[in-house]
Amino acid sequence: MSKPEKLIENGIRLDGRRPDELRPIKIKVGVLNRADGSCYFEFGRNKVIAAVYGPREVHPRHQQKSTSAVVRYRYNMASFSVEERKRPGPDRRSIEVSKVSREALEPVIFQEYFPRSAIDIFVEVLQADAGTRTAGINAASIALADAGIPMKSLVSSCAVGKVDDTLVLDLFKDEDNYGQCDMPIAMTPDGNITLIQMDGHLTRDEFTEGLEMAKKGCLAIHELQKAALIEKYNSQLEGEVNDK
Amino acid sequence: MDKKLVLPGEFISDDVERAGEGTFVDDGKVFSSVFGVASLKNQIKVVPLSGKYIPKSGDLILGIIKEITFSNWIVDIRSPYDGLLHISEYPRRIENTEMSRYLNVGDAIMTLVVDVDVNMKVELTLNDQRLRPVKDGRIVDVTPSKVPRFIGRSGSMIAMLKNETHCNIFIGQNGRIWITGKDRDMDLAVKAIKKIEKETHVSGLTDRITKFLKEIKGENVIEKEPDKEEKLRTEEKTEEEKTEMEKSGGILDELLGDEK
């Protein structure tokens, strides 16, 4: 798709959203039986799946820390997740995303509870439409809770950006490609920011305003994350009652 | 209600003094650190809905031999950390070269955690009155955090299970459950265990499980004439089973320290 003439028309974006509106979110917890915790997360047209294993033994051994757990995060895009086939395997971008995502989650995990062990998080992107790292972090944080790993809180994440000189929340593909700025943010519900990156330019005022928008977005996502976990618990019980 | 489903970071109480397992204190408030069920009796604690077994000294657990080294058995205890069973902790003297004759890779053992050090080195022993060799029966895995529910208040749940299924049941703190009995009884016990695991936090669970077991058993009786069944039972009782039954009585009562 070539650059559209206008990304925002009459205050409505190309996909019909208002500037401060998130894409529709769908969450399913506990989708993988073999993983200790897992989560399927849809963020508009993004589809990601997160699996958490651990705490478990560290292999290779030299990576282990004697006083705390190591957190390992692997972000990977499926070769079919984008229009043009992506060459499989880690590349410069996915290594970077893995690192920043790990650092977005590490501050909330009580790593010191599990010395000499590893907590492995795997995030697979099945379909990408801009904002996969934020979707990955949202999914991983739910999967961690599902795995019973002690945390200070959940982490929620979404992006703000600028297109056609307007601040918008949660950019989709075209806005990301042709917009002026993309700024993914991850934070805890009490407002501690654990990830912030920026690609493009914002003025100082736009930055503070954007941050406020992202905060609201993250809080909305946090509510959905909570609801998804509670629903998993309830559906397990209901399934049992129906069995009888 | 003194029970409540909580998420990591959810505010539970202002009473810092009573903060217990599964919680953390920040700025004079108690928060949950895990996704689980909070109870506010005596101590504020949160029982996680899932999670790994973390060994504590004094725990009676079921392990499976994973590897044999020069003077240690390495034991899988369903935890991020391996258990170490030193040759000297075997009830009798064994030569290094003969270790695999007594306990080989894949064998299950009922064992006691003697010590866990800061490096999470887990030392096990077989030198304890309460331990029995695991030679027959089945082992079922459940979520370790749910173990207290399987035992019930002062052992009510386990006592009921043993009674209703005619099986001998041992529950390891690491979430492995060892059942011995006749095949059909064990099937029943496994079913009940799976049900308990799913409904861990429903109130009045012991009664529900009793009802559940009675219903299933009710069907069985119709299939066969009760008289014949009784006969079969006595006939089937082999020498081995008899000895097993004699042994079985005391184990759990000893473990739980409750009177009959």
Side-chain angles (χ1 to χ4, degrees):
Chain A
M1 189 175 165
S2 56
K3 185 180 186 326
E5 292 230 326
K6 267 183 173 176
L7 287 161
I8 297 186
E9 235 167 313
N10 302 329
I12 298 291
R13 296 201 252 166
L14 283 184
D15 59 355
R17 282 185 288 159
R18 279 173 278 110
D20 60 347
E21 204 176 331
L22 288 166
R23 287 174 283 184
I25 290 170
K26 196 176 135 191
I27 310 174
K28 209 161 177 331
V29 188
V31 287
L32 305 173
N33 288 333
R34 299 295 306 271
D36 295 312
S38 59
C39 174
Y40 170 75
F41 196 95
E42 263 182 46
F43 204 170
R45 277 153 65 191
N46 288 303
K47 293 179 179 176
V48 302
I49 204 161
V52 168
Y53 294 84
R56 63 179 180 183
E57 259 179 275
V58 192
H59 289 292
R61 267 274 158 69
H62 69 265
Q63 280 186 355
Q64 78 181 16
K65 291 192 214 150
S66 53
T67 55
S68 80
V70 285
V71 177
R72 296 184 291 197
Y73 190 110
R74 180 175 179 270
Y75 166 96
N76 186 48
M77 281 175 88
S79 54
F80 53 79
S81 62
V82 276
E83 271 169 67
E84 192 82 18
R85 181 184 128 96
K86 182 198 169 288
R87 229 173 139 244
D91 51 20
R92 201 176 60 106
R93 192 186 91 93
S94 72
I95 293 167
E96 178 209 304
V97 174
S98 299
K99 178 186 180 287
V100 296
S101 304
R102 188 192 73 233
E103 288 170 354
L105 291 168
E106 270 178 332
V108 298
I109 301 173
F110 285 101
Q111 293 174 67
E112 63 278 14
Y113 286 9
F114 309 105
R116 297 203 307 131
S117 68
I119 297 167
D120 286 318
I121 308 164
F122 299 96
V123 171
E124 293 288 324
V125 178
L126 305 178
Q127 180 171 289
D129 190 54
T132 51
R133 78 192 65 192
T134 58
I137 291 168
N138 290 330
S141 132
I142 299 172
L144 281 166
D146 183 37
I149 289 168
M151 294 192 285
K152 292 197 185 78
S153 70
L154 293 172
V155 175
S156 315
S157 175
C158 70
V160 277
K162 187 165 82 165
V163 295
D164 288 359
D165 296 318
T166 316
L167 284 174
V168 290
L169 188 65
D170 184 25
L171 295 81
F172 76 101
K173 193 85 197 170
D174 290 334
E175 292 173 334
D176 188 22
N177 285 351
Y178 308 110
Q180 295 150 293
C181 179
D182 176 27
M183 179 164 76
I185 290 166
M187 60 171 72
T188 63
D190 41 8
N192 293 320
I193 294 172
T194 60
L195 169 132
I196 184 162
Q197 291 182 298
M198 186 157 75
D199 178 12
H201 303 281
L202 288 180
T203 65
R204 203 179 266 251
D205 292 341
E206 282 168 343
F207 178 83
T208 26
E209 202 194 324
L211 209 57
E212 279 309 310
M213 280 171 76
K215 212 172 243 182
K216 274 187 197 145
C218 286
L219 280 177
I221 293 169
H222 179 248
E223 290 305 316
L224 293 170
Q225 288 174 310
K226 269 165 56 176
L229 280 164
I230 292 168
E231 199 213 297
K232 186 212 174 188
Y233 173 77
N234 288 337
S235 70
Q236 257 182 2
L237 281 184
E238 271 167 33
E240 193 46 43
V241 174
N242 292 340
D243 277 358
K244 280 215 300 182
Chain B
M1 272 293 273
D2 52 354
K3 277 192 175 177
K4 191 176 142 209
L5 187 65
V6 289
L7 290 139
E10 194 167 321
F11 168 79
I12 309 180
S13 161
D14 287 310
D15 194 350
V16 180
E17 297 291 304
R18 296 193 297 142
E21 261 175 76
T23 65
F24 69 97
V25 175
D26 188 27
D27 200 19
K29 288 178 181 129
V30 185
F31 299 92
S32 169
S33 65
V34 289
F35 175 40
V37 176
S39 67
L40 302 173
K41 276 184 207 155
N42 312 325
Q43 222 189 10
I44 300 167
K45 61 175 186 178
V46 183
V47 180
L49 293 175
S50 57
K52 291 281 165 80
Y53 168 66
I54 301 300
K56 278 197 318 287
S57 69
D59 280 357
L60 277 162
I61 57 175
L62 287 166
I64 290 169
I65 309 287
K66 187 161 126 176
E67 208 179 311
I68 302 175
T69 63
F70 179 69
S71 57
N72 280 297
W73 283 278
I74 296 177
V75 186
D76 165 39
I77 54 171
R78 282 190 89 208
S79 152
Y81 313 106
D82 283 332
L84 280 179
L85 176 66
H86 192 255
I87 194 164
S88 61
E89 300 289 351
Y90 197 83
R92 70 178 119 142
R93 223 184 106 71
I94 302 178
E95 288 299 318
N96 281 323
T97 48
E98 299 212 300
M99 286 168 72
S100 62
R101 274 186 43 202
Y102 294 91
L103 285 175
N104 208 346
V105 174
D107 288 355
I109 53 168
M110 190 176 159
T111 178
L112 174 73
V113 180
V114 193
D115 187 47
V116 182
D117 70 6
V118 279
N119 288 317
M120 296 311 276
K121 188 173 135 207
V122 183
E123 288 177 45
L124 306 173
T125 186
L126 287 179
N127 273 324
D128 195 285
Q129 287 273 311
R130 295 169 289 180
L131 303 177
R132 300 284 182 280
V134 180
K135 291 265 160 64
D136 53 358
R138 293 181 203 170
I139 289 179
V140 187
D141 288 352
V142 298
T143 311
S145 64
K146 293 178 179 169
V147 163
R149 205 67 183 85
F150 281 93
I151 292 167
R153 192 164 295 154
S154 66
S156 59
M157 178 69 90
I158 175 105
M160 183 277 289
L161 270 180
K162 281 163 73 176
N163 245 322
E164 292 290 329
T165 62
H166 309 290
C167 287
N168 184 34
I169 300 170
F170 165 74
I171 301 172
Q173 289 298 318
N174 60 340
R176 277 203 178 111
I177 302 184
W178 173 34
I179 317 166
T180 44
K182 294 201 319 192
D183 271 340
R184 213 148 41 90
D185 293 338
M186 285 198 283
D187 287 343
L188 193 64
V190 173
K191 264 187 205 161
I193 286 166
K194 295 279 174 218
K195 192 174 166 69
I196 299 173
E197 177 161 35
K198 271 195 176 165
E199 297 179 28
T200 312
H201 298 286
V202 180
S203 53
L205 187 57
T206 310
D207 295 336
R208 285 180 55 153
I209 298 296
T210 317
K211 210 179 126 206
F212 170 76
L213 284 171
K214 290 226 160 95
E215 269 171 27
I216 293 188
K217 279 199 294 189
E219 288 164 19
N220 283 352
V221 176
I222 299 163
E223 279 169 25
K224 274 185 182 177
E225 293 273 312
D227 248 346
K228 269 186 196 168
E229 199 182 31
E230 204 48 46
K231 255 187 205 168
L232 278 172
R233 241 183 221 167
T234 41
E235 276 168 18
E236 274 172 19
K237 232 179 243 172
T238 59
E239 204 58 33
E240 249 183 56
E241 264 180 340
K242 268 183 198 162
T243 48
E244 183 54 44
M245 282 190 169
E246 276 161 32
K247 272 191 224 161
S248 64
I251 301 182
L252 259 149
D253 305 326
E254 264 173 59
L255 289 185
L256 301 165
D258 65 347
E259 53 287 281
K260 277 173 197 172

